[in-house]
Amino acid sequence: MEGVPGHAPSRTEPGARVSFDALCQRAWWANQELLRAGLVSLTFGNASAIDRAAGVLAIKPSGVPAAELRVEDIVVVSIASGEVVAGRARPSSDTPSHLVLARAFPAIGGIVHTHSRAATAWAQAHRPIPCLGTSHADHFRGAVPVTRPLTAAEIGADYEAATGRVIVETFEDLDPGDVPAVLVRDHGAFTWGPDPESAVANAVALELVAGIAIDTLALGGPGGPIADELLARHHGRKHGPRATYGQGPTA
Amino acid sequence: MEGVPGHAPSRTEPGARVSFDALCQRAWWANQELLRAGLVSLTFGNASAIDRAAGVLAIKPSGVPAAELRVEDIVVVSIASGEVVAGRARPSSDTPSHLVLARAFPAIGGIVHTHSRAATAWAQAHRPIPCLGTSHADHFRGAVPVTRPLTAAEIGADYEAATGRVIVETFEDLDPGDVPAVLVRDHGAFTWGPDPESAVANAVALELVAGIAIDTLALGGPGGPIADELLARHHGRKHGPRATYGQGPTA
Amino acid sequence: MEGVPGHAPSRTEPGARVSFDALCQRAWWANQELLRAGLVSLTFGNASAIDRAAGVLAIKPSGVPAAELRVEDIVVVSIASGEVVAGRARPSSDTPSHLVLARAFPAIGGIVHTHSRAATAWAQAHRPIPCLGTSHADHFRGAVPVTRPLTAAEIGADYEAATGRVIVETFEDLDPGDVPAVLVRDHGAFTWGPDPESAVANAVALELVAGIAIDTLALGGPGGPIADELLARHHGRKHGPRATYGQGPTA
Amino acid sequence: MEGVPGHAPSRTEPGARVSFDALCQRAWWANQELLRAGLVSLTFGNASAIDRAAGVLAIKPSGVPAAELRVEDIVVVSIASGEVVAGRARPSSDTPSHLVLARAFPAIGGIVHTHSRAATAWAQAHRPIPCLGTSHADHFRGAVPVTRPLTAAEIGADYEAATGRVIVETFEDLDPGDVPAVLVRDHGAFTWGPDPESAVANAVALELVAGIAIDTLALGGPGGPIADELLARHHGRKHGPRATYGQGPTA
């Protein structure tokens, strides 16, 4: 794929560097979709797509508004070293957070970061989003947690990597496949999934349930989260070995 | 209509299976309209269209985002048996709820299910939406009720059919033609109407009045619902034998 | 203008009935603009355009969704008698309210009725919208009032005309040119202006300031309305003999 | 550029007046972008673009809805004298506020004024917007302040210039480069930046963080603003000599 600035030639050319065109396309689509879904504005927010076989992650460049983003602006970074392996732009300043998550959560294939309004309000209020309904249970098996405050030392040193580490710490006793979202205290939200498309869908779902939960509490709310049976039933319809939702492998 | 995948040939071919093209078109339109009206996102929500003469219901396939839905994806299901009679896809996982309603409410011709923000907040807060104004009275003759909690046994067995049954139970002393909407506790909303188009309109109206009611309570609200005379007057303008609204039979 | 269904021929044909094409165009535009501005959905809401010389008012037909409205659907009604003088459709069920306002407020040239979310919440909460800022003062010289409750007798008899009369009663000591808007208790909003375009602009402004006022109160609000000097200054910039706003008569 | 009404010929013509086409283009874009971003409706709001070398400011004409604005409607005004130097229209009634800011804050190249919903609610509630998260810190180094009330004398005399002066007074001990936004009590918001594009971006960011802050407080909010270290870190990523955000000078 010579001629596409910032991208290596395709795999079919022997001896050449690997092509990341398809991966960059998916990362570009995910960043655009966040914009269309109203989850990002200005330069807030970014999405990455992971290629486990190649050991890389394709991510939005720093400071480029999503509306102006081109596929060839996407940057490919080594998950192990954090070095840029393809692309001319400087990667998102949040790249170290993405890398920590990509290393710690081996089953995920895409990561999204937003400052979407309702989810960020919960993050700023230092409150986990309780599971108040089946819209929540369909995507997140229980409350979406909030990270602990970063220390001054963590902020002063490698802040973005520390943000990733504090997320991983929050999931010490929690399966990131069960709850593919977190609120970073005073900051915003991260979501993920087995691929970039599901990471985006989880970001959309998070904003929706965060907003419904704000209105639920304004109406006097329930005393606590929904019944365990209802949570398990809804989550189980869509996830895990007994999932019945969607068109299945043969559809 | 050979060539349209998943659909039987038209009635004009003797001996052939009945064609459900028109019914599928209406079900497809209703699902698309929910998306345009901002009532659904991702795979949340679905609409069905009922053909009483044929004893079938056309519904959205499971797990297909409304934005990607094609007419030929619509699935036709027997109301009596629940079996798929046309269409290649797996029907919505909420199909058993639709079937229970279609059997119990013989006058309805369309059903809509959404997780729209304001209506779902009321469902999660376990509060019926009181009739606080004429916008509400124009569509719903009194409060929109909330279902009782499902038992663990109901959730564990045929959950989606149980959801339909608990709605029917809620309307034991209530005419589903007078109040064509219900809040399913901890879940979302169902609306219906004499045809799919009015079921969609009732879903739009429900979200509108649910949102206005949230803001009304935030402003200190009134002490109770509007006067019976005003409710009856507004509902009667649009519904029943003395309706004066619209262009009438000769327009 | 033969060929345009429901409309009389143009003034240029001697002996023929007066043409209301231009008036219907403005009424049609106003109804469409309400839709574009997000102030109406379904069949909620309507706008009328007044021709004082002809003694008529052009208004939306009953029950036609704004999205499907054509210019030729607009109905022309005599302000004095309420009789349809042009157009084949049945006029809006709210026509008697428009007629009462058109008779009582001789300076107005357009009327709008909506159930827009924030304004309707104030109407349902039975609270006038206080003047909390210059956005409000630019359009409304003081609080936007709420009508008193209609009696059962008023509701039972000529309900829509009674709605108009209770608005006029509310303006007994208030200049409808100073405050071109009212909240009808438990119902919605009416706005007006010297022409249909300004009636629509006042409906847009009303919804905006109603929404800002809800958020202002949620933040603890101020103790009372803005200073009289600031109110007079802002209102006076746009209205009255000392107005300095806009491009003026020669621009 | 003869033929473009209201604009002087280009610099390339000797002896002719200076052309302000590029400046007017940027002012026009900024005003349009406010509309697209949902920050203005009707004739609320305006944006200006500053040319320091020419000593002028290009601004929206008075009373023209943003949706109908053409490039040739933009008016060019001398920053020193306030006189119109190019353009046929009457400049925005808020021009004196813009001029005071342009004179007092020599580093700014664009100014925006809006009545956007959430920011205006804070202005009407007389509360500075506290820095509750990194979305805020990315753009504003600390709370966005509210101006003191104008006196009756200030309102009665040169009201719009007084609005500018009270903003400047509010920044007596505050760097307008650190906090490029202010809430004008009972009125709305002003933002600015090194160029018109960043002034618009700051208006978008202000509305976003104002809205998130309202929801944060509704959720019980935090006790106070975010930690100084986090504020400094986020603001410093994007601003000042150690900024690491964006594509940098060589990208």
Side-chain angles (χ1 to χ4, degrees):
Chain A
M1 268 289 147
E2 291 173 345
V4 180
H7 284 114
S10 100
R11 283 179 186 275
T12 57
E13 296 172 39
R17 286 171 71 197
V18 169
S19 162
F20 299 115
D21 290 350
L23 190 68
C24 289
Q25 279 280 356
R26 293 176 80 178
W28 175 82
W29 176 90
N31 280 286
Q32 292 288 307
E33 187 67 9
L34 293 179
L35 185 72
R36 280 191 292 269
L39 300 185
V40 306
S41 57
L42 300 172
T43 61
F44 287 123
N46 42 68
S48 64
I50 295 170
D51 181 335
R52 292 286 170 188
V56 298
L57 170 157
I59 195 164
K60 185 172 164 292
S62 181
V64 175
E68 297 168 17
L69 191 68
R70 299 164 305 168
V71 176
E72 57 262 37
D73 296 329
I74 297 293
V75 190
V76 181
V77 178
S78 160
I79 293 175
S81 72
E83 278 171 30
V84 172
V85 298
R88 294 183 184 168
R90 185 187 292 178
S92 166
S93 59
D94 293 313
T95 302
S97 313
H98 286 247
L99 291 171
V100 170
L101 296 185
R103 288 176 205 133
F105 301 161
I108 69 178
I111 302 168
V112 162
H113 170 47
T114 78
H115 294 213
S116 65
R117 176 169 172 167
T120 301
W122 287 91
Q124 291 190 168
H126 308 166
R127 294 178 68 170
I129 306 177
C131 180
L132 299 182
T134 62
S135 325
H136 185 119
D138 279 338
H139 290 86
F140 313 109
R141 193 181 178 95
V144 175
V146 192
T147 58
R148 67 159 171 80
L150 291 178
T151 65
E154 287 170 324
I155 295 168
D158 56 345
Y159 168 64
E160 289 84 5
T163 297
R165 289 196 305 269
V166 80
I167 293 174
V168 174
E169 184 186 318
T170 304
F171 279 77
E172 219 166 51
D173 299 313
L174 200 56
D175 183 337
D178 279 349
V179 181
V182 72
L183 305 173
V184 177
R185 179 180 294 245
D186 297 329
H187 188 143
F190 278 84
T191 62
W192 48 81
D195 47 56
E197 294 77 19
S198 59
V200 170
N202 286 332
V204 172
L206 181 67
E207 180 61 13
L208 184 67
V209 302
I212 297 176
I214 290 175
D215 285 352
T216 303
L217 296 195
L219 286 171
I226 63 173
D228 285 347
E229 293 86 357
L230 188 58
L231 168 55
R233 176 84 201 198
H234 262 268
H235 197 265
R237 290 207 311 187
K238 288 199 172 178
H239 306 274
R242 292 160 66 188
T244 58
Y245 191 82
Q247 295 304 319
T250 61
Chain B
M1 270 290 144
E2 292 173 343
V4 179
H7 283 115
S10 100
R11 284 178 186 275
T12 57
E13 298 171 39
R17 287 171 69 197
V18 169
S19 162
F20 299 115
D21 290 351
L23 190 69
C24 290
Q25 279 279 357
R26 293 177 79 178
W28 175 82
W29 176 90
N31 280 286
Q32 292 288 306
E33 187 68 9
L34 293 179
L35 185 72
R36 279 190 293 269
L39 300 185
V40 305
S41 58
L42 300 172
T43 61
F44 287 123
N46 41 68
S48 65
I50 295 170
D51 181 335
R52 291 285 169 189
V56 299
L57 169 156
I59 195 164
K60 185 172 164 292
S62 181
V64 176
E68 297 168 18
L69 191 68
R70 298 165 306 167
V71 176
E72 57 261 37
D73 296 328
I74 298 292
V75 189
V76 181
V77 178
S78 160
I79 293 176
S81 72
E83 278 171 28
V84 172
V85 299
R88 294 182 183 169
R90 185 188 293 178
S92 165
S93 59
D94 293 314
T95 302
S97 313
H98 286 248
L99 292 172
V100 169
L101 296 185
R103 287 176 206 135
F105 301 160
I108 70 178
I111 302 168
V112 162
H113 171 45
T114 78
H115 293 213
S116 65
R117 175 168 173 169
T120 302
W122 286 91
Q124 292 190 168
H126 308 165
R127 294 177 69 170
I129 306 177
C131 180
L132 299 182
T134 62
S135 324
H136 185 119
D138 279 338
H139 290 86
F140 313 109
R141 194 180 178 95
V144 175
V146 192
T147 59
R148 68 160 171 78
L150 291 178
T151 64
E154 287 170 324
I155 295 169
D158 55 344
Y159 168 64
E160 290 84 5
T163 297
R165 288 195 306 268
V166 80
I167 294 174
V168 174
E169 183 186 319
T170 304
F171 280 77
E172 220 167 50
D173 299 313
L174 199 56
D175 183 337
D178 279 349
V179 180
V182 72
L183 305 173
V184 178
R185 181 180 293 245
D186 297 330
H187 188 141
F190 278 84
T191 61
W192 48 80
D195 47 56
E197 294 76 21
S198 60
V200 170
N202 286 331
V204 172
L206 181 67
E207 179 61 13
L208 184 67
V209 303
I212 297 175
I214 290 175
D215 284 352
T216 303
L217 297 194
L219 286 170
I226 62 173
D228 285 346
E229 294 86 356
L230 188 58
L231 168 55
R233 176 85 201 197
H234 261 267
H235 197 265
R237 288 207 311 187
K238 288 199 173 179
H239 307 273
R242 291 160 67 188
T244 58
Y245 191 83
Q247 295 303 320
T250 62
Chain C
M1 270 289 145
E2 291 173 343
V4 179
H7 284 115
S10 100
R11 284 178 187 275
T12 58
E13 298 172 38
R17 286 171 70 197
V18 169
S19 162
F20 300 115
D21 290 350
L23 190 67
C24 289
Q25 279 279 356
R26 293 176 80 178
W28 175 81
W29 177 89
N31 280 286
Q32 293 288 306
E33 187 67 10
L34 293 179
L35 185 73
R36 279 190 292 269
L39 300 185
V40 305
S41 58
L42 301 172
T43 61
F44 287 122
N46 41 69
S48 64
I50 294 170
D51 182 334
R52 291 285 169 190
V56 299
L57 171 156
I59 195 165
K60 186 171 164 292
S62 181
V64 176
E68 298 169 18
L69 192 67
R70 298 164 307 167
V71 176
E72 57 262 37
D73 296 329
I74 298 292
V75 189
V76 181
V77 178
S78 160
I79 293 176
S81 71
E83 279 169 29
V84 172
V85 299
R88 294 182 183 168
R90 185 187 293 178
S92 165
S93 59
D94 293 313
T95 302
S97 314
H98 286 248
L99 291 171
V100 170
L101 297 185
R103 288 177 204 133
F105 300 160
I108 69 177
I111 302 168
V112 162
H113 170 47
T114 78
H115 294 213
S116 65
R117 175 168 172 168
T120 301
W122 286 92
Q124 292 190 168
H126 309 165
R127 294 177 69 169
I129 307 176
C131 180
L132 299 182
T134 61
S135 324
H136 185 120
D138 279 339
H139 290 86
F140 312 110
R141 193 180 177 95
V144 175
V146 191
T147 58
R148 66 161 171 79
L150 292 178
T151 64
E154 287 170 324
I155 294 168
D158 56 343
Y159 168 64
E160 289 84 5
T163 297
R165 288 197 306 269
V166 80
I167 293 173
V168 174
E169 184 186 318
T170 305
F171 279 76
E172 220 166 50
D173 299 313
L174 199 56
D175 183 338
D178 279 349
V179 180
V182 72
L183 305 173
V184 178
R185 180 181 294 245
D186 297 331
H187 188 143
F190 278 83
T191 62
W192 48 81
D195 47 54
E197 294 77 20
S198 60
V200 170
N202 286 332
V204 172
L206 181 67
E207 180 62 14
L208 184 67
V209 302
I212 298 175
I214 290 175
D215 285 351
T216 303
L217 296 194
L219 287 171
I226 63 172
D228 285 346
E229 294 85 357
L230 188 59
L231 169 55
R233 176 84 201 197
H234 262 268
H235 197 265
R237 290 207 311 187
K238 288 200 173 179
H239 307 274
R242 293 160 66 187
T244 57
Y245 191 82
Q247 295 303 320
T250 61
Chain D
M1 269 290 146
E2 294 173 341
V4 180
H7 283 115
S10 99
R11 283 178 188 276
T12 57
E13 297 172 39
R17 287 171 68 198
V18 168
S19 162
F20 299 114
D21 289 351
L23 190 68
C24 289
Q25 280 279 356
R26 293 177 79 178
W28 175 82
W29 176 90
N31 280 287
Q32 293 288 307
E33 187 67 10
L34 294 179
L35 185 73
R36 278 191 293 268
L39 300 185
V40 306
S41 57
L42 301 173
T43 61
F44 287 122
N46 42 68
S48 64
I50 295 169
D51 181 336
R52 291 285 169 189
V56 299
L57 169 157
I59 195 164
K60 185 171 165 292
S62 181
V64 176
E68 297 169 17
L69 191 68
R70 299 164 307 168
V71 176
E72 56 263 38
D73 296 329
I74 298 292
V75 190
V76 182
V77 178
S78 160
I79 292 175
S81 72
E83 279 170 29
V84 172
V85 298
R88 293 183 183 167
R90 185 187 293 178
S92 165
S93 59
D94 293 313
T95 302
S97 314
H98 286 248
L99 291 171
V100 170
L101 296 184
R103 288 176 205 135
F105 301 160
I108 70 178
I111 302 168
V112 162
H113 171 46
T114 79
H115 293 213
S116 65
R117 174 167 174 169
T120 302
W122 286 91
Q124 292 190 168
H126 309 166
R127 294 177 69 170
I129 307 176
C131 180
L132 299 182
T134 62
S135 324
H136 185 119
D138 279 339
H139 290 86
F140 313 109
R141 193 181 178 95
V144 174
V146 191
T147 59
R148 66 160 172 80
L150 291 178
T151 65
E154 287 170 324
I155 294 168
D158 55 345
Y159 167 65
E160 290 83 5
T163 297
R165 288 196 305 269
V166 80
I167 294 173
V168 174
E169 184 185 319
T170 304
F171 280 76
E172 222 167 48
D173 299 313
L174 199 57
D175 183 337
D178 279 348
V179 180
V182 72
L183 305 173
V184 177
R185 179 180 293 244
D186 297 330
H187 188 143
F190 278 83
T191 61
W192 48 81
D195 47 54
E197 294 77 20
S198 59
V200 170
N202 286 332
V204 171
L206 181 66
E207 179 61 13
L208 184 67
V209 303
I212 298 175
I214 290 175
D215 284 352
T216 303
L217 296 195
L219 287 170
I226 63 172
D228 285 347
E229 293 86 357
L230 188 59
L231 169 55
R233 176 84 202 196
H234 261 267
H235 197 265
R237 289 207 310 187
K238 288 200 172 179
H239 307 273
R242 293 159 65 187
T244 58
Y245 191 83
Q247 296 304 319
T250 61

